Tab-separated table of all heavy atoms in Angstrom:
chain	number	residue	atom	x	y	z
A	256	HIS	N	4.426	11.318	-13.097
A	256	HIS	CA	4.133	11.625	-14.497
A	256	HIS	C	4.822	10.646	-15.435
A	256	HIS	O	4.289	10.317	-16.501
A	256	HIS	CB	4.566	13.062	-14.803
A	256	HIS	CG	3.626	14.085	-14.254
A	256	HIS	ND1	3.570	15.384	-14.717
A	256	HIS	CD2	2.688	14.008	-13.284
A	256	HIS	CE1	2.644	16.055	-14.051
A	256	HIS	NE2	2.102	15.243	-13.180
A	257	ARG	N	6.002	10.168	-15.037
A	257	ARG	CA	6.697	9.185	-15.866
A	257	ARG	C	5.900	7.886	-15.925
A	257	ARG	O	5.778	7.259	-16.982
A	257	ARG	CB	8.099	8.951	-15.301
A	257	ARG	CG	9.010	8.144	-16.216
A	257	ARG	CD	10.416	8.047	-15.626
A	257	ARG	NE	11.116	9.320	-15.690
A	257	ARG	CZ	11.586	9.972	-14.614
A	257	ARG	NH1	11.422	9.474	-13.408
A	257	ARG	NH2	12.218	11.111	-14.752
A	258	TRP	N	5.343	7.467	-14.781
A	258	TRP	CA	4.518	6.259	-14.778
A	258	TRP	C	3.269	6.443	-15.634
A	258	TRP	O	2.843	5.522	-16.330
A	258	TRP	CB	4.110	5.897	-13.354
A	258	TRP	CG	5.250	5.458	-12.500
A	258	TRP	CD1	6.388	4.816	-12.896
A	258	TRP	CD2	5.373	5.641	-11.086
A	258	TRP	NE1	7.205	4.591	-11.819
A	258	TRP	CE2	6.615	5.075	-10.703
A	258	TRP	CE3	4.564	6.214	-10.106
A	258	TRP	CZ2	7.055	5.082	-9.375
A	258	TRP	CZ3	4.991	6.214	-8.790
A	258	TRP	CH2	6.228	5.651	-8.422
A	259	VAL	N	2.661	7.630	-15.558
A	259	VAL	CA	1.481	7.908	-16.378
A	259	VAL	C	1.826	7.795	-17.857
A	259	VAL	O	1.066	7.227	-18.649
A	259	VAL	CB	0.918	9.307	-16.045
A	259	VAL	CG1	-0.195	9.684	-17.025
A	259	VAL	CG2	0.396	9.354	-14.608
A	260	THR	N	2.991	8.329	-18.234
A	260	THR	CA	3.427	8.255	-19.624
A	260	THR	C	3.623	6.817	-20.073
A	260	THR	O	3.202	6.422	-21.173
A	260	THR	CB	4.730	9.053	-19.799
A	260	THR	OG1	4.494	10.427	-19.479
A	260	THR	CG2	5.240	8.951	-21.234
A	261	VAL	N	4.247	6.017	-19.229
A	261	VAL	CA	4.452	4.604	-19.558
A	261	VAL	C	3.110	3.887	-19.667
A	261	VAL	O	2.875	3.100	-20.596
A	261	VAL	CB	5.340	3.932	-18.497
A	261	VAL	CG1	5.386	2.416	-18.715
A	261	VAL	CG2	6.749	4.502	-18.545
A	262	ALA	N	2.202	4.156	-18.731
A	262	ALA	CA	0.891	3.505	-18.756
A	262	ALA	C	0.114	3.855	-20.015
A	262	ALA	O	-0.612	3.019	-20.572
A	262	ALA	CB	0.090	3.907	-17.518
A	263	ALA	N	0.285	5.098	-20.482
A	263	ALA	CA	-0.421	5.540	-21.677
A	263	ALA	C	0.223	5.022	-22.955
A	263	ALA	O	-0.291	5.255	-24.050
A	263	ALA	CB	-0.480	7.064	-21.706
A	264	GLY	N	1.360	4.338	-22.813
A	264	GLY	CA	2.034	3.791	-23.983
A	264	GLY	C	2.848	4.816	-24.736
A	264	GLY	O	3.229	4.583	-25.886
A	265	ASP	N	3.159	5.959	-24.077
A	265	ASP	CA	3.890	7.033	-24.751
A	265	ASP	C	5.362	7.084	-24.364
A	265	ASP	O	6.069	8.024	-24.705
A	265	ASP	CB	3.253	8.393	-24.421
A	265	ASP	CG	1.805	8.456	-24.858
A	265	ASP	OD1	1.485	7.828	-25.886
A	265	ASP	OD2	1.003	9.109	-24.178
A	266	GLY	N	5.828	6.104	-23.587
A	266	GLY	CA	7.219	6.139	-23.147
A	266	GLY	C	7.739	4.740	-22.920
A	266	GLY	O	7.034	3.751	-23.104
A	267	THR	N	8.973	4.669	-22.517
A	267	THR	CA	9.587	3.376	-22.247
A	267	THR	C	9.491	3.054	-20.772
A	267	THR	O	9.321	3.935	-19.934
A	267	THR	CB	11.061	3.387	-22.664
A	267	THR	OG1	11.729	4.438	-21.947
A	267	THR	CG2	11.200	3.632	-24.157
A	268	SER	N	9.628	1.791	-20.462
A	268	SER	CA	9.517	1.340	-19.081
A	268	SER	C	10.728	1.769	-18.283
A	268	SER	O	11.803	2.037	-18.823
A	268	SER	CB	9.386	-0.185	-19.039
A	268	SER	OG	9.415	-0.644	-17.711
A	269	ARG	N	10.548	1.829	-16.958
A	269	ARG	CA	11.685	2.020	-16.065
A	269	ARG	C	12.602	0.805	-16.169
A	269	ARG	O	12.183	-0.260	-16.631
A	269	ARG	CB	11.201	2.174	-14.617
A	269	ARG	CG	10.455	0.973	-14.098
A	269	ARG	CD	10.024	1.146	-12.660
A	269	ARG	NE	11.153	1.064	-11.765
A	269	ARG	CZ	11.075	1.307	-10.452
A	269	ARG	NH1	9.934	1.642	-9.929
A	269	ARG	NH2	12.132	1.235	-9.694
A	270	PRO	N	13.856	0.925	-15.751
A	270	PRO	CA	14.713	-0.253	-15.746
A	270	PRO	C	14.121	-1.346	-14.882
A	270	PRO	O	13.258	-1.100	-14.047
A	270	PRO	CB	16.027	0.279	-15.147
A	270	PRO	CG	15.979	1.760	-15.347
A	270	PRO	CD	14.533	2.118	-15.279
A	271	ALA	N	14.603	-2.566	-15.085
A	271	ALA	CA	14.120	-3.679	-14.271
A	271	ALA	C	14.269	-3.329	-12.808
A	271	ALA	O	15.240	-2.705	-12.389
A	271	ALA	CB	14.930	-4.940	-14.592
Side-chain angles (χ1 to χ4, degrees):
H256 284 200
R257 191 176 289 121
W258 292 330
V259 172
T260 298
V261 171
D265 300 327
T267 58
S268 174
R269 61 179 288 173

